[in-house]
Amino acid sequence: MTSLSKQEQVEWEKAEYANVNWDELGFALTKTDYMYVMKFTEEEQMFCNGTLIRFGNIQMCPSSGILNYGQGLFEGLKAYRKEDEGILLLRPEENALRMKVGADRMCMPSPTVDQFIDAVKKTVLANKRWVPPHGRGSLYIRPLLMGTGRNLEVKPSSEYTFLVYASPVGNGLKGVLNLMVEDNVHRATPGGTGGIKAVTNYSPIYKPLTEAKAKGFSDLLYLDALTGSNIEECSGCNIFILKGNVISTPTTHGTILPGITRKSIMEIASGFGYQVEERATPIKEVFDAEEVFCTGTAMIVKSVASITYQGKRIEYKLGAETLAQKLHATLTGIQTGVNEDKLGWTMVIDGPPFL
């Protein structure tokens, strides 16, 4: 892995759009040009000397903490292109702060908020030709924090790598959401890592999720591990229930990820005049809900068409007149610069990335 040459910087300055069929983008990796890497070592005792390098594979010791003991975190956020070709981020400081909370739980150092945002900005600018045209997708950004020091013993790593890469993706996840309630496997347990974006949170649910998808379901809705009577979240998104003027969502008490899209939607819905409640939400409440919708970085806001629980299928309102659609339009309007950002959430990205 090498740093950028002057010639590569000149090539970047000339870049326009990558050769991509923007209308065919889903949520999958498309290799872009550059990624950002910054190291923490025992000698320095801080993250420093971050640099942009060509996108590609990385090397690490087979005994590294991330490979042997899962000492790692990740974040996810998006950059959108405005009609005037400007590029916007939405609330990146929230991702930086969430990573710091997760790092503390995983006994890891973390980049400062400024370092995190600077790395994200540089990664986006270096890959600006991969940011889809206005209204045709976004650049998904994946920051990773990994224990990469040599570590045979069960203990925190001595060295860490902060890496940011990006990929263009389409406008949300395609298809409707048909959920099945999972009442045997739990996504998270009290005292665990369900409330942070630890890499170890995800693969344990692959087996039940694969089985559910084989039956035609989109995702699983998990119940709390203590009582098995309250809904928590899906495999990678938060959930909301609408009844009348009240929107309910499970509280983030350590087993549920505090989604940034979730937080944003709650603030927007409150501004619309809805009563938004964070509380324990019994599974029985899904039976008489008017609408159910999910939120997450990938899907933004998406209506749930049905929930199946113990063989009983409940269907919900869909279409252009739903609250979910209104919330989706409002948030994406802010993300893309179409709607005025009265909340101060967006951050404009400009300038050269190679400084």
Side-chain angles (χ1 to χ4, degrees):
M1 298 187 297
T2 58
S3 299
L4 304 176
S5 67
K6 288 185 178 179
Q7 180 59 37
E8 288 172 328
Q9 295 184 33
V10 170
E11 290 174 2
W12 174 86
E13 292 290 349
K14 296 179 180 178
E16 294 182 358
Y17 281 103
N19 183 20
V20 174
N21 186 341
W22 305 110
D23 298 321
E24 294 298 320
L25 285 173
F27 193 78
L29 178 68
T30 297
K31 293 182 179 179
T32 52
D33 296 324
Y34 302 108
M35 59 188 187
Y36 184 94
V37 177
M38 184 165 55
K39 299 281 189 175
F40 176 102
T41 65
E42 282 188 310
E43 294 76 24
E44 295 288 347
Q45 283 297 301
M46 64 182 344
F47 278 99
C48 57
N49 301 321
T51 184
L52 284 161
I53 61 173
R54 284 289 187 180
F55 180 92
N57 296 337
I58 61 173
Q59 290 185 328
M60 63 180 70
C61 180
S63 69
S64 64
I66 182 69
L67 294 179
N68 289 258
Y69 304 115
Q71 194 186 23
L73 298 164
F74 71 90
E75 279 294 326
L77 63 161
K78 290 178 176 178
Y80 287 85
R81 199 179 290 269
K82 300 168 61 181
E83 289 179 313
D84 64 5
E85 295 293 308
I87 299 173
L88 293 176
L89 290 173
L90 186 81
R91 312 183 82 173
E93 69 284 353
E94 294 287 344
N95 295 91
L97 291 169
R98 188 169 65 180
M99 176 168 276
K100 288 181 71 67
V101 171
D104 182 67
R105 174 64 179 85
M106 298 289 282
C107 205
M108 307 168 74
S110 65
T112 66
V113 171
D114 287 343
Q115 285 177 322
F116 182 101
I117 293 175
D118 180 64
V120 168
K121 282 184 173 182
K122 287 179 176 175
T123 303
V124 173
L125 284 170
N127 294 296
K128 69 176 184 178
R129 71 191 189 102
W130 298 94
V131 181
H134 175 78
R136 298 172 72 183
S138 60
L139 185 72
Y140 180 82
I141 306 143
R142 172 61 61 82
L144 292 166
L145 181 60
M146 306 172 287
T148 48
R150 299 178 180 183
N151 212 35
L152 193 59
E153 186 181 348
V154 180
K155 66 177 184 179
S157 182
S158 57
E159 296 184 3
Y160 297 87
T161 299
F162 177 63
L163 186 153
V164 185
Y165 69 93
S167 172
V169 297
N171 284 319
L173 301 181
K174 298 178 180 179
V176 298
L177 289 179
N178 291 294
L179 307 179
M180 183 180 79
V181 177
E182 173 57 63
D183 50 9
N184 291 315
V185 175
H186 298 289
R187 195 197 76 88
T189 57
T193 59
I196 62 172
K197 284 188 76 70
V199 298
T200 49
N201 289 352
Y202 296 87
S203 57
I205 54 89
Y206 285 174
K207 188 175 190 295
L209 180 59
T210 300
E211 293 170 351
K213 288 188 173 183
K215 297 175 182 177
F217 295 100
S218 311
D219 201 346
L220 292 170
L221 175 58
Y222 299 91
L223 301 177
D224 75 288
L226 287 180
T227 71
S229 61
N230 298 316
I231 62 173
E232 292 216 319
E233 62 180 327
C234 298
S235 302
C237 56
N238 298 117
I239 191 164
F240 291 80
I241 291 175
L242 173 66
K243 295 181 184 179
N245 195 55
V246 179
I247 300 172
S248 303
T249 190
T251 185
T252 55
H253 48 56
T255 58
I256 297 173
L257 185 72
I260 295 159
T261 306
R262 171 188 183 271
K263 180 178 181 178
S264 302
I265 287 301
M266 290 170 66
E267 293 181 46
I268 292 171
S270 295
F272 287 166
Y274 285 89
Q275 179 182 335
V276 180
E277 298 180 346
E278 289 185 87
R279 58 178 176 80
T281 309
I283 180 62
K284 63 183 181 183
E285 291 193 19
V286 306
F287 294 120
D288 58 355
E290 297 167 27
E291 272 188 58
V292 178
F293 56 90
C294 292
T295 63
T297 303
M299 66 176 58
I300 307 172
V301 185
K302 196 170 184 62
S303 293
V304 173
S306 72
I307 294 178
T308 299
Y309 177 53
Q310 295 182 343
K312 182 177 180 179
R313 178 185 171 100
I314 310 100
E315 297 185 346
Y316 304 101
K317 181 181 178 181
L318 300 173
E321 300 305 314
T322 59
L323 173 61
Q325 285 296 313
K326 183 179 179 182
L327 292 168
H328 182 278
T330 302
L331 184 55
T332 55
I334 295 172
Q335 288 174 317
T336 58
V338 172
N339 294 350
E340 181 184 357
D341 177 17
K342 298 179 180 179
L343 299 166
W345 287 349
T346 54
M347 181 179 291
V348 178
I349 300 181
D350 54 20
F354 304 113
L355 298 178

